[in-house]
Amino acid sequence: MPRQATHRRLPALVAAAGLAALCAAPATAAEGEAALRAELEALKRRISELERRLAEQQEAQQRVEKLEREVKEVAKTHSEWKDAESVLHVAGYAAVGYTDAEGADGSFNVANFNPIFHFLYDDKVLWEAELEFEVLDDGSTKTNLEYTTLDWFVTDNVTLVGGKFLSPAGFFIQNLHPAWINKLPSKPAGFGEEQAAPESDLGLEVRGGVNIGNPWKLTYAFYVANGPSAEGELGGGEIERIEAEAKASDEDGDKVYGGRVSVLPRPGLEIGVSAVTGKLMVEDGTSEDKGRDYDLVGADFSLVRGNLDARAEYVRQRIGARAGSLWPDEAEWKAWYAQLAWKFRPTRFEGVVRYSDYDSPHAAEDQRQWALGLNYLLAPNAVAKVAYELNDGQSGQPTDDDRFLLQFAYGF
Amino acid sequence: MRKTRLFPALLMVAAGLAAAVPATAGERGGDKEAFARGARVWSENCTRCHNLRDPREFRDDQWRPIIAHMRVRGGLTGAEARDVLTFMQNAN
């Protein structure tokens, strides 16, 4: 370094200056000698002072270099975390619950754990998958692959999704069913397993959002998938139910097509419509009836503003009639609900009231329900819920029993 | 003398820091608008389905896949997702 070189030369320069001073003849020998000595001492002191400073500076320089190396290392580690091309993240939710129904003994009947895995590559491709582990009545554990999809962000407005996904038709199943999101411990009547709202499907989906003139926004999700199948009464008769869990096979070879479009006229207000059409197969394990008409229509609404969270949704699935079939009649499953929730700020309490109505081809399954709930929000994603359901179904059926429910849910 | 020499050295360290973490420095200083837009996306979109989540809940790297996940779920545009990510990563 030139700076250091100058400093090394300094003592030499000082010595040379001293010599030059010596050569200049003094007035008297003694006087001259004393003066010279004093000057020499002064010079020595200056030299050692300069040497001390030089050493200090070198030390400081080393410290700065060490600091630079450390800063680089820290910065690298930081950016490795933040900017690594691939990121793995585990999210999910868990819930525990207790239910006491009129016709049965109270029991702790909910214990589930749903881990969700995300793997993101360079903000271009996301793999998302949710597993569900649930303790059943008999003590066994049910495992279910709720969804597994590869999402490819094609453009700012188009994402291509392939795999097993939650049904893009409707709102509750896709977006509100996780326990930490659902404001009541139970699902609305008709939105449970194999009822009016389809759960999942296996296929391809194109989805995204577009800003259509400030503040209007539009979201869409269109899909093609294997579609559901239906179970018919053994040996013929009525169609029992639609099996709305995705299947990795499509026995009838006919796909279903459909999706949902929603508009947001302003933030917090959303109106969506859903439709699906296709064919499905009805079977009873021994006989089958392929190519039956299948369709779904749905509508949903939500208004979230300040302390208010208001929602409503309607869904109807139908299998068309076919003369000569073992299961000739048309069958229709429909359900709707309306829910109001209010946060009592500044406390952590939230009150909820929901009405739901489920209408199936089988009177024993039909249900009308009022549900009242009070929630305590430990955090936005951790909630303790207590609720009471007033159920009205066919008398003697579990659908007619009122229920008291407790639940604690946490989404992480 | 020591002071004057140390100052350039400190400047060098600062410059090194800035060069090593351009993303954060750039977003913080250079794109305040993205942060402001992101704050709006957050308050207006992230309550559509569930309670509003706090930016401080997750680290910068964790917010990336979460926002990507929510982009798919909520039909956010790419621009909205980038803005809200900028907000989450700078407000935590």
Side-chain angles (χ1 to χ4, degrees):
Chain A
M1 268 193 192
R3 207 191 316 141
Q4 275 178 3
T6 324
H7 281 287
R8 283 213 190 91
R9 257 185 275 127
L10 255 180
L13 285 173
V14 173
L19 268 178
L22 268 176
C23 292
T28 68
E31 256 178 31
E33 204 181 309
L36 266 177
R37 263 185 212 290
E39 223 166 300
L40 200 62
E41 285 309 311
L43 279 170
K44 271 186 187 164
R45 278 197 302 278
R46 280 193 66 188
I47 287 170
S48 60
E49 168 71 4
L50 282 170
E51 276 174 347
R52 194 182 57 76
R53 284 197 189 177
L54 190 66
E56 259 179 27
Q57 202 162 48
Q58 275 167 352
E59 209 179 290
Q61 184 67 28
Q62 277 166 5
R63 275 211 304 270
V64 167
E65 275 164 16
K66 189 164 165 262
L67 211 66
E68 263 173 36
R69 278 198 302 277
E70 275 175 16
V71 165
K72 268 192 195 130
E73 247 164 61
V74 170
K76 182 169 176 291
T77 318
H78 175 79
S79 79
E80 270 173 9
W81 271 96
K82 193 167 164 262
D83 306 321
E85 287 190 335
S86 287
V87 201
L88 169 67
H89 177 243
V90 181
Y93 51 94
V96 289
Y98 176 88
T99 305
D100 191 357
E102 254 179 321
D105 291 330
S107 60
F108 292 96
N109 67 336
V110 180
N112 56 26
F113 161 51
N114 297 42
I116 299 174
F117 301 88
H118 299 133
F119 218 122
L120 179 72
Y121 177 75
D122 200 19
D123 304 327
K124 287 190 182 75
V125 180
L126 174 74
W127 167 68
E128 36 167 334
E130 178 180 333
L131 286 171
E132 180 173 48
F133 297 96
E134 189 183 356
V135 182
L136 300 181
D137 292 355
D138 63 1
S140 61
T141 300
K142 177 178 124 185
T143 51
N144 184 28
L145 182 58
E146 283 243 322
Y147 61 77
T148 174
T149 64
L150 271 174
D151 312 341
W152 170 27
F153 300 104
V154 187
T155 72
D156 267 12
N157 307 99
V158 179
T159 305
L160 199 61
V161 176
K164 176 179 173 179
F165 39 75
L166 295 175
S167 177
F171 197 82
F172 183 87
I173 300 288
Q174 279 188 83
N175 298 320
L176 305 174
H177 88 273
W180 66 273
I181 300 178
N182 187 7
K183 298 206 179 282
L184 282 161
S186 60
K187 292 174 182 166
F191 287 77
E193 278 174 30
E194 298 186 336
Q195 293 188 318
E199 286 156 63
S200 57
D201 220 326
L202 214 152
L204 272 181
E205 204 187 334
V206 189
R207 59 190 294 157
V210 192
N211 289 309
I212 46 167
N214 203 14
W216 285 66
K217 204 185 140 123
L218 180 142
T219 79
Y220 68 89
F222 300 116
Y223 76 105
V224 47
N226 288 339
S229 60
E231 196 183 311
E233 212 177 316
L234 192 63
E238 289 188 330
I239 298 175
E240 301 278 12
R241 72 182 68 83
I242 295 182
E243 288 168 342
E245 262 283 358
K247 289 187 186 57
S249 63
D250 189 14
E251 297 103 331
D252 59 354
D254 289 316
K255 304 282 173 285
V256 296
Y257 308 84
R260 172 178 179 269
V261 176
S262 81
V263 285
L264 291 101
R266 58 160 218 247
L269 175 64
E270 179 164 3
I271 298 148
V273 289
S274 304
V276 183
T277 181
K279 307 262 185 217
L280 57 64
M281 179 177 81
V282 183
E283 45 116 17
D284 64 358
T286 50
S287 318
E288 46 189 51
D289 180 14
K290 291 183 178 174
R292 290 288 286 267
D293 287 335
Y294 164 79
D295 64 73
L296 171 150
V297 289
D300 57 86
F301 159 89
S302 66
L303 174 67
V304 182
R305 207 181 161 79
N307 293 332
L308 176 75
D309 185 301
R311 298 179 186 277
E313 181 168 354
Y314 168 82
V315 61
R316 190 209 67 197
Q317 288 188 97
R318 183 171 56 193
I319 300 175
R322 178 188 265 171
S325 165
L326 277 173
W327 309 276
D329 296 337
E330 179 187 281
E332 207 175 72
W333 292 258
K334 51 187 182 194
W336 71 274
Y337 79 89
Q339 175 182 289
L340 278 179
W342 184 267
K343 288 197 176 76
F344 297 103
R345 288 195 176 104
T347 76
R348 290 165 178 266
F349 287 100
E350 180 182 48
V352 194
V353 51
R354 178 183 75 196
Y355 180 78
S356 50
D357 185 350
Y358 173 42
D359 198 5
S360 90
H362 316 289
E365 289 164 21
D366 294 353
Q367 191 176 38
R368 273 190 295 266
Q369 178 191 84
W370 277 102
L372 297 167
L374 185 68
N375 301 332
Y376 183 79
L377 290 155
L378 275 92
N381 51 328
V383 52
K385 313 178 203 174
V386 41
Y388 196 78
E389 286 176 2
L390 293 149
N391 289 309
D392 185 9
Q394 200 179 56
S395 76
Q397 295 293 330
T399 47
D400 195 40
D401 295 341
D402 293 350
R403 300 197 301 169
F404 169 76
L405 305 108
L406 287 174
Q407 191 188 53
F408 182 65
Y410 173 44
F412 41 91
Chain B
M1 180 159 98
R2 195 137 51 109
K3 255 189 212 155
T4 48
R5 288 272 156 80
L6 269 175
F7 185 63
L10 278 174
L11 265 184
M12 261 169 59
V13 175
L17 245 176
V21 279
T24 321
E27 280 159 17
R28 281 226 166 89
D31 207 350
K32 284 206 186 84
E33 277 171 29
F35 179 85
R37 284 195 307 265
R40 243 184 94 176
V41 174
W42 176 67
S43 64
E44 290 179 354
N45 278 274
C46 305
T47 48
R48 274 168 49 207
C49 305
H50 50 68
N51 294 328
L52 199 56
R53 304 284 291 248
D54 191 331
R56 285 170 303 178
E57 221 186 297
F58 295 103
R59 286 195 313 258
D60 287 3
D61 58 310
Q62 294 172 319
W63 276 119
R64 274 176 57 203
I66 296 173
I67 295 298
H69 184 200
M70 291 305 114
R71 172 176 171 184
V72 181
R73 271 303 155 102
L76 299 183
T77 66
E80 284 169 337
R82 286 187 294 274
D83 288 344
V84 81
L85 182 63
T86 300
F87 171 73
M88 294 314 224
Q89 291 183 332
N90 289 286
N92 58 358

